[in-house]
């Protein structure tokens, strides 16, 4: 709900591009091996924002984000090698993620681990995000002058979105919500 309101902000519509992700850790199990890996739930604009599609297979389709769609996953080259020994028939194979079956639809290029060392990517379905989940919003600025005004508006938006859930003492303490831009090279 908050993301829908966020996407309606005037300054958000002035951005070149933006995406939302939820970073996570996943327990992955193939038939022979299992391991923990960092990963992310990504939105439908992720691969366009990244400017890169999977090296094998396909990016997520719009239907993959439907809450009743079959579970699909895109894995990193590392997961492909570690859990499947680089098998050529990887697409369509089953991968258990947190005990739930997912179908592998893509494998990313060898050095792609965006964001934050991710090794697995899942579509953010409507039923995945919970109200208290932390999400990252990544965006491309149209120009450098835009940044300060945008951060101020974002801080105010997120503060207004959560202020009803804050205790009175927290509101009185003067703590605010801060938005910080980090440059990704």
């Amino acid at each position: 709900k908050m993301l829908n309101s966020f996407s309606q902000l005037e300054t958000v519509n002035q951005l070149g591009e933006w995406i939302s992700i939820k970073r996570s850790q996943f327990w992955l199990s193939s038939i022979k091996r299992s391991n923990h890996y960092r990963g992310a739930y990504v939105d439908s604009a992720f691969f366009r924002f990244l400017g890169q599609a999977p090296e094998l297979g396909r990016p997520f389709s719009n239907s993959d984000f439907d809450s009743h769609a079959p579970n699909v996953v895109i894995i990193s080259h590392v997961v492909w090698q570690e859990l499947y020994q680089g098998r050529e028939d990887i697409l369509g194979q089953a991968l258990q993620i947190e005990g739930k079956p997912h179908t592998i639809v893509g494998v990313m290029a060898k050095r792609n681990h965006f964001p934050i060392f991710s090794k697995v990517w899942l579509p953010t379905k409507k039923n995945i995000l919970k109200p208290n989940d932390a999400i990252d919003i990544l965006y491309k600025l149209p120009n450098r002058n835009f940044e300060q005004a945008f951060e101020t508006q974002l801080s105010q938006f997120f503060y207004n979105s959560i202020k009803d859930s804050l205790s009175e003492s927290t509101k009185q303490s003067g703590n605010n919500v801060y938005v910080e831009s980090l440059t990704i090279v």
Side-chain angles (χ1 to χ4, degrees):
K1 184 177 176 181
M2 190 184 311
L3 274 178
N4 287 338
S5 298
F6 172 80
S7 67
Q8 301 305 313
L9 290 174
E10 182 181 328
T11 53
V12 170
N13 290 318
Q14 295 173 25
L15 288 173
E17 294 179 71
W18 69 276
I19 58 171
S20 63
I21 60 169
K22 176 186 171 194
R23 290 180 281 158
S24 194
Q25 294 250 359
F26 301 103
W27 181 256
L28 306 182
S29 302
S30 68
I31 293 173
K32 296 182 179 181
R33 293 179 175 77
S34 299
N35 205 351
H36 265 107
Y37 293 96
R38 287 183 184 185
Y41 289 99
V42 300
D43 68 19
S44 61
F46 178 76
F47 293 102
R48 185 175 59 249
F49 182 88
L50 187 58
Q52 192 174 48
E55 187 174 66
L56 295 173
R58 65 171 177 84
F60 297 129
S61 66
N62 287 337
S63 62
D64 291 331
F65 294 88
D66 183 66
S67 34
H68 301 295
N71 292 328
V72 294
V73 61
I74 294 175
I75 61 174
S76 68
H77 190 270
V78 169
V79 171
W80 181 37
Q81 295 302 310
E82 288 179 2
L83 296 186
Y84 295 93
Q85 296 74 49
R87 287 180 31 203
E88 295 292 323
D89 64 343
I90 189 64
L91 300 178
Q93 294 294 315
L95 174 63
Q96 295 286 320
I97 301 176
E98 301 296 332
K100 295 179 183 168
H102 288 68
T103 301
I104 298 170
V105 297
V107 177
M108 291 303 285
K110 193 171 193 173
R111 289 186 174 80
N112 187 321
H113 303 289
F114 184 80
I116 318 298
F117 308 108
S118 291
K119 304 285 189 281
V120 60
W121 299 267
L122 297 140
T124 304
K125 296 182 178 186
K126 290 174 180 49
N127 58 347
I128 295 293
L129 293 178
K130 307 293 183 253
N132 292 332
D133 282 348
I135 60 166
D136 295 323
I137 296 174
L138 307 172
Y139 51 87
K140 295 179 182 177
L141 295 170
N143 60 61
R144 297 294 288 164
N145 299 331
F146 185 81
E147 187 172 11
Q148 184 61 44
F150 183 62
E151 287 182 3
T152 301
Q153 186 175 11
L154 285 184
S155 295
Q156 191 61 48
F157 169 78
F158 286 113
Y159 175 77
N160 288 336
S161 296
I162 65 168
K163 70 180 175 186
D164 292 337
S165 65
L166 299 175
S167 69
E168 222 27 68
S169 62
T170 301
K171 289 179 191 176
Q172 298 300 321
S173 71
N175 291 335
N176 291 312
V177 173
Y178 294 98
V179 174
E180 180 179 21
S181 292
L182 302 173
T183 302
I184 299 175
V185 178

